[in-house]
Each structure stands twice: as structure tokens, then as C-alpha cells.
Amino acid sequence: MIDPFFHVHCLQEVDSTNERAKELARQGAPEGTVIVAATQWAGRGRRGRSWSSPHGGLYFSLILRPPISPDLAPQLVLVTAACLYRALHRRGLPVSIKWPNDLVAGGKKLGGILVEAGSASQSLSFLVVGVGVNINGPPPIEGGTSIEALAGSPQQKEEILADILGEMKRTYFAYLQEGIGPVLAEYRRGCTTLGREVILVGPKGGAPAKAVDIGERGELFVEDLDGRRRSVFADEVSLRCG
Ligand code: BTN
């Protein structure tokens, strides 16, 4: 059952649950408002990519209004990834997090997170946390996987949504009280990127490096081939595992 903290709006079809949620947030919808859609015809991913959203997947966006400064908004990606990791692990599914916002299993993409902020001058007025997970049916992208494929049988989407939202409520309020430390520890535990050789793909091409840590603003610390340590942010690069 979905925790009564959340006000859930279920739609059959929508352009993008993130777009609907941002519209509602601008109109003053309270924290905990969730838009869920059976399918999206203009689902969006990170870095301007589209997110294929056929029936069978879980697509939702949650409105939050954390009292944090806009530059800390990427921490909500860490919070959400840690929640997805925990909720799906509890079901016995071998999932991990690929930095910054991917959910993967056996190297195949299972889901993703898109956090978008609405800010008024120096303060954050709302955040929309969008989550897409392939649940039932064939994975919508080549090289993807689904919870049905991992579990061996079709799964109840509503139960999975309730589990994820339950984790979100618990972890979000703990984060507001205790800061990012415990979330970051959980993210690091679940992150398959750490310790691996990666290719950082930016506007000037690809650069090999080793992923060594995640910082409090969601940045990835890497060591270049000459041993130099530096950080990269999610909006600067995409990652290929070497
Ligand atoms: C990514 O991996 O690039 C992020 C994908 C996020 C997809 C979800 S589906 C629900 C919500 N609505 C959208 O348009 N995008 C997010």
C-alpha cells in the first residue's frame, strides 16, 4: 500500500510525467505529489535524450520541496538512486547503480533518474524527481533489461511503486535531518562504477580514467592515467565502462 504521505495521480498516457509534475509544482502542488503514467509519448532522459516508455514500465515523478540551496539539488539523485537500489535489492534483484543516475543489472540498463529543479532567485522552490524502471515486457532499448527478465516472471508494478515510495519517504526525511552522509555511504555500496576503468565522454571526445569515489554533490572523482585526481559532474560527461 502506498504511504498516505503521497498524493498519487495516475494517468494512462502523458507526454512526460516530469513535465506534468513541474506544471503542478508551479501551481503550488504540495510536497509528496506523485504523477504516475502507464505510458509516456515524450519521456525524457538525462542530457536531452528521450526515454522510451512503452506499457509495462514504471514511470513516475515526485514533487519535493527540500529547504536546500539549488546547488545541492544533485544530492536528490543520490537519495533516489540509493532508494531504488535498496527497494529492488530487498526483492532479491541483483541491481547496482551506474554513476550518476542509472540502475543496471548484469551491465544492462534497468532504469534511470531525472531530477529537475525549479528555483526562485537563490532558493529552491521545488524539485521533480523522475524515475523510469523497465518492469514487464521486453526491455525498450537494446542492451537493456527488465525486472520481469531478472525475476523470471511478470511483477506487480503497484507493489514496486509502493516499495520505492516507502524508501523515498524514509530516506528523504533522514537526509533532511542527518545530511547526505548516510545516503552517500549507501550509494557508494551500490555503485558498480567505483574501482573501474571508465571512459569519460565530453564535448572534446573520450578520456580514459579510473573511477575512485563519489563526492557529496554527486560528483565522480577519477584518476587520470598519469595518476592525477580530479572530479567530474554529471552534466559535464557521460560514462562508458572500459
Ligand atoms: C536517464 O536515464 O537518462 C533518466 C531517465 C528518466 C526517465 C523518467 S520516466 C519518468 C520521468 N518522466 C520523464 O520524462 N523522465 C523521467
Side-chain angles (χ1 to χ4, degrees):
M1 226 183 66
I2 291 185
D3 189 291
F5 168 72
F6 298 100
H7 318 276
V8 180
H9 302 246
C10 292
L11 306 174
Q12 270 313 306
E13 197 182 356
V14 73
D15 49 354
S16 152
T17 56
N18 267 35
E19 288 310 313
R20 290 304 116 238
K22 283 192 284 184
E23 212 170 273
L24 287 180
R26 285 187 206 107
Q27 292 164 9
E31 178 161 81
T33 302
V34 179
I35 310 294
V36 193
T39 174
Q40 304 180 112
W41 46 267
R44 292 188 298 102
R46 210 167 66 85
R47 310 193 91 211
R49 297 185 189 118
S50 63
W51 182 261
S52 172
S53 314
H55 281 275
L58 174 63
Y59 316 108
F60 73 89
S61 302
L62 164 64
I63 297 174
L64 296 175
R65 297 184 183 276
I68 59 173
S69 63
D71 58 318
L72 292 183
Q75 290 189 334
L76 270 297
V77 176
L78 302 178
V79 169
T80 309
C83 287
L84 290 170
Y85 170 70
R86 212 180 289 133
L88 297 178
H89 244 247
R90 238 195 347 253
R91 300 183 148 250
L93 299 168
V95 300
S96 344
I97 302 162
K98 181 182 166 213
W99 182 86
N101 69 330
D102 284 354
L103 203 61
V104 295
K108 297 178 173 176
K109 184 146 173 165
L110 176 67
I113 300 162
L114 179 66
V115 172
E116 296 184 280
S119 25
S121 66
Q122 295 305 303
S123 66
L124 194 64
S125 100
F126 65 82
L127 278 180
V128 164
V129 174
V131 173
V133 183
N134 307 330
I135 309 268
N136 295 321
I141 54 161
E142 212 185 297
T145 190
S146 67
I147 292 197
E148 176 180 4
L150 295 171
S153 58
Q155 303 291 302
Q156 281 289 333
K157 260 201 303 191
E158 295 70 22
E159 270 177 25
I160 296 173
L161 174 64
D163 285 357
I164 295 172
L165 289 178
E167 275 301 333
M168 280 301 293
K169 181 185 169 197
R170 205 180 59 72
T171 311
Y172 173 63
F173 285 107
Y175 157 75
L176 294 182
Q177 293 263 312
E178 298 161 28
I180 196 66
V183 167
L184 191 53
E186 181 78 352
Y187 184 101
R188 286 184 179 123
R189 258 195 300 282
C191 184
T192 177
T193 312
L194 292 180
R196 297 183 72 163
E197 305 294 329
V198 295
I199 313 278
L200 301 170
V201 185
K204 291 186 191 148
K210 184 173 178 190
V212 291
D213 201 6
I214 310 287
E216 291 198 340
R217 288 169 188 234
E219 70 275 36
L220 179 69
F221 287 95
V222 295
E223 274 172 17
D224 291 332
L225 293 185
D226 60 6
R228 199 169 51 98
R229 191 179 160 114
R230 64 188 172 107
S231 62
V232 288
F233 283 84
D235 54 359
E236 297 168 348
V237 291
S238 53
L239 206 73
R240 282 208 306 268
C241 287

